[in-house]
Structure formats: structure tokens, C-alpha cells
Amino acid sequence: MNADRILVVGGYGAVGVTVADTLDGWFPGRVVVAGRDEARARALGGVRADVTDPDGFRRTLQELGDVAAVVLCVEPPDSRVARACLERGVHLVDIGATGRLLEGTADLHDLAAGSGATAVLSVGVAPGLTNLLARRAHEAVGGADRIDLTVMLGAGERHGADAVRWTVEGLAEPLAGAPLRTTLPGHGTRTAHPFPFSDQHTLPRTLGVEQVTTRLCLDSKPLTSALFGLRPAARRPAVRRALTASFSRVHLGGDGFAVRADARRGDLHAACAVTGRAQSRFTALVASYVTRELLAGSPAPGVRHIEQLPALAGLPETLAAHGLAVWRLGEAPPA
Ligand SMILES: NC(=O)c1ccc[n+]([C@@H]2O[C@H](COP(=O)([O-])OP(=O)(O)OC[C@H]3O[C@@H](n4cnc5c(N)ncnc54)[C@H](OP(=O)(O)O)[C@@H]3O)[C@@H](O)[C@H]2O)c1
């Protein structure tokens, strides 16, 4: 293993702080945190970096000189930061959840393959664990015609500002599809609503499945109804601002989350799920294990989604050591 550094961008945010801590435990002295607040980053031994300024980001990489991997714990507006990493042969882990942005990075596959770098996309809970479970359920039916993903998030968790921004913007996106009632192990039957997680856009290509949908609900049933009842109004910027403010201040409910994948082929049906507490922490753990695989494993260069890395297929079971419960259709729900 070499001694090159790991740049965690957004490294003092809700997800990034656990990524930085976990990687520091595995690779002591090699983690450098970054964000726009120079004083805050420097207090942690880090540097200033802004993902909306790709030229400045490129200079930061040059100045640091020995960066082996960048973990993006904040969503950049386009793929130019990814390009700045991959053209230097720097590995990239991106926890972003916007399909359009991930497709832009996937277009850099040849650049990454040429420079010997690997970028891993669809990293986190959704996308991330959703992708791994989708692949599992797909294989269990021998190749699915259709996959339905359901994500439940805890309304009581203190989600980071960037995650709240993403969720409120997603509410404003016009989406086809009907709500679906699903049983989430340990949480009973829930009504989940179509939501623009990137997994449903990327999995048809990586798994060769014709139809993939992703739906969202909150742990609180009344809040789920209220939130999706506001969907038409959320197209108005003033309503989105009000929703962002209330999500950031009001924390009603718990911090439990669940992810379920249902795959169907004709009459065949397979389903699997995971449940845990604190999605930000599990997103960070997934990002940390992916980064460790890039630095200590031997992934093929290029741009991949998490479900395309065979070494990470057992990640849900690995995360059981951190409190994640794994379930398959036919088993009793986890206690
Ligand atoms: N895949 C998944 O399952 C999953 C799950 C949760 C979250 N996410 C995504 O992860 C991202 C982070 O979520 P979070 O909850 O950790 O948000 P957060 O708490 O707001 O953290 C964002 C971090 O990024 C920094 N940052 C913001 N804008 C930046 C910029 N332009 N350049 C560099 N750094 C910047 C922030 O510090 P400064 O403001 O000081 O710069 C902060 O440290 C979101 O995009 C969210 O959608 C994905």
C-alpha cells in the first residue's frame, strides 16, 4: 500500500465527517479534509476546496501533489471535478445521487481507463445499498424484467444541508409512476412515492433490466403524506425554501432507515432488504469501504457503479458488524 493522501471533500459535513474518521482509522495520517470554509478545513489539518470551481480544484490537487483518491461527499454541479481527478490518475468515490450528474461522470470511462484510475459511483444508501440489493434480487430470479426499490428515511435524523437541498429539489421534479405499498422489515407496511434517486436510471444499463423504479417514504406516516401532498406546490421556489428551512430545523420521528429491492421475472419474485439507524453514517461507511477497496484492492481502471465491483457484493453483510440488518424474502424480519 502506498502512502498517498486521501482528499475527503465535504469532510466536515454530515456524511464526510464519518468518512474522514473511518478512513483515518484505516489509513492513519493520510486523510486531508476539504470544504469551502478555509478556517474550518485548516483547523482539521485540511485545505480549502470548492467543487463549483474546477480550475481551483485542479490547482489544489497539484499543490497537494500526492493525492491517491478523492472522496466527493458533496455534489458538484457537473463532471469537471471528476475529470480533474481522473486525468491525473486519481481514484474517485462519488456519493452523489443525481442520475444526470452520474451519467456525466460515467462518460469519462475511457479517460479513467487510460490514466489507470477507477471512479466508483452509486455509493451510499440510495444509491449504493439499493444498487447492491437490486443486483442480488435480480440474480435471485435469474435476470429480472422489473425491479422496484423502496427507500425509507428517518425524518428525525439530522440530515446534512446538501442532502436536504437534494431531497427538496427531488420533490419538485415531475415523475411518472404510482405510489406502492411495501412491507419494510421491522417497520410494517408503508406507502412509498416515486422519487428521482439515480439508481433507477443507471441500473437498467448496468444490470440489463428493462424497468427499474425507486420510491421514497419517511419513517413517519403522517409526514410522508404531508410531504408528498406538497409535491405540486414544491415546484414553486418559495415553497422549496420553506420546506428546506423546516427540514433543517424540525426533526420529527426516528433515525431508522430501510431499503428494499423487489425483482420480478414472470411469476418469479425475489426480495431483499437492509435496515439500520442513521443513513448518513451508513452512507459514510459504504463510501469508506469503497475507498479502501480502491486503495488496497485491485479494481479495474475505468468508471464503475458499486454493483459492478465484485469485491463489494458482500458489503451488506460486512456492514452487519456496524449494526445493519440484512433480510431476504421468506425469512422472519430482523428483531
Ligand atoms: N448516496 C447516498 O445514499 C447519499 C446519502 C446521503 C447524502 N448523499 C449526498 O451526499 C452529499 C452530502 O450530504 P451531507 O448530508 O453530508 O451534506 P452536508 O452536511 O451539507 O455536507 C456537505 C459538505 O460539503 C461541503 N461543501 C458544500 N458545498 C461545497 C462546495 N461547493 N465545494 C466543496 N465543499 C462543499 C460543506 O462544507 P462548506 O459548506 O463549508 O463548504 C460540508 O462539509 C449530498 O449531495 C447528498 O445528496 C448521498
Side-chain angles (χ1 to χ4, degrees):
M1 208 182 295
N2 61 35
D4 291 346
R5 290 192 273 184
I6 308 161
L7 185 65
V8 181
V9 187
Y12 48 84
V15 174
V17 74
T18 305
V19 173
D21 279 356
T22 308
L23 290 174
D24 187 56
W26 292 338
F27 302 103
R30 291 177 56 183
V31 172
V32 179
V33 301
R36 290 170 303 179
D37 184 334
E38 184 158 12
R40 203 165 169 194
R42 288 213 181 274
L44 296 163
V47 296
R48 185 180 190 280
D50 185 345
V51 297
T52 65
D53 172 13
D55 292 336
F57 193 85
R58 194 173 271 115
R59 279 195 298 279
T60 302
L61 287 180
Q62 267 159 11
E63 280 159 22
L64 288 170
D66 59 353
V67 177
V70 167
V71 189
L72 282 181
C73 299
V74 61
E75 198 161 68
D78 53 43
S79 60
R80 286 182 295 166
V81 161
R83 177 180 286 278
C85 297
L86 298 176
E87 69 192 9
R88 289 178 67 88
V90 173
H91 295 313
L92 180 73
V93 176
D94 185 347
I95 72 166
T98 303
R100 169 185 58 82
L101 295 175
L102 298 191
E103 297 291 9
T105 304
D107 287 344
L108 303 175
H109 178 79
D110 291 345
L111 174 71
S115 74
T118 305
V120 187
L121 312 179
S122 304
V123 173
V125 169
L129 293 175
T130 48
N131 297 57
L132 293 174
L133 295 185
R135 175 163 201 145
R136 219 170 252 202
H138 167 68
E139 288 174 352
V141 294
D145 302 325
R146 175 188 178 97
I147 297 176
D148 293 296
L149 297 165
T150 306
V151 179
M152 186 197 84
L153 296 178
E157 183 176 336
R158 287 177 187 278
H159 302 282
D162 204 47
V164 170
R165 170 200 61 79
W166 185 88
T167 308
V168 171
E169 280 175 15
L171 201 62
E173 269 187 41
L175 277 184
L180 188 72
R181 280 178 69 72
T182 314
T183 302
L184 295 171
H187 295 278
T189 303
R190 301 299 178 127
T191 301
H193 300 255
F195 210 74
F197 291 100
S198 59
D199 37 28
Q200 63 203 310
H201 305 298
T202 59
L203 283 163
R205 190 170 47 77
T206 61
L207 297 185
V209 178
E210 205 163 299
Q211 204 178 359
V212 184
T213 67
T214 316
R215 292 178 176 79
L216 173 68
C217 62
L218 302 176
D219 59 343
S220 156
K221 290 180 183 177
L223 270 185
T224 305
S225 305
L227 185 68
F228 287 97
L230 280 170
R231 184 162 234 169
R235 306 221 171 95
R236 302 213 309 269
V239 174
R240 292 207 293 282
R241 279 196 295 277
L243 272 172
T244 304
S246 51
F247 263 132
S248 308
R249 278 190 223 117
V250 184
H251 303 284
L252 291 173
D255 66 353
F257 70 87
V259 168
R260 172 172 170 146
D262 287 84
R264 290 185 170 78
R265 181 164 72 96
D267 292 341
L268 294 177
H269 176 207
C272 48
V274 294
T275 58
R277 294 183 62 186
Q279 67 77 27
S280 296
R281 179 170 161 266
F282 277 96
T283 293
L285 287 168
V286 172
S288 303
Y289 276 96
V290 169
T291 307
R292 188 166 82 167
E293 172 59 21
L294 291 186
L295 295 175
S298 48
V303 181
R304 328 252 161 219
H305 291 269
I306 194 169
E307 72 278 11
Q308 296 176 303
L309 294 186
L312 294 170
L315 189 56
E317 283 71 20
T318 304
L319 292 175
H322 301 272
L324 195 75
V326 186
W327 170 89
R328 274 184 187 73
L329 189 64
E331 291 176 356

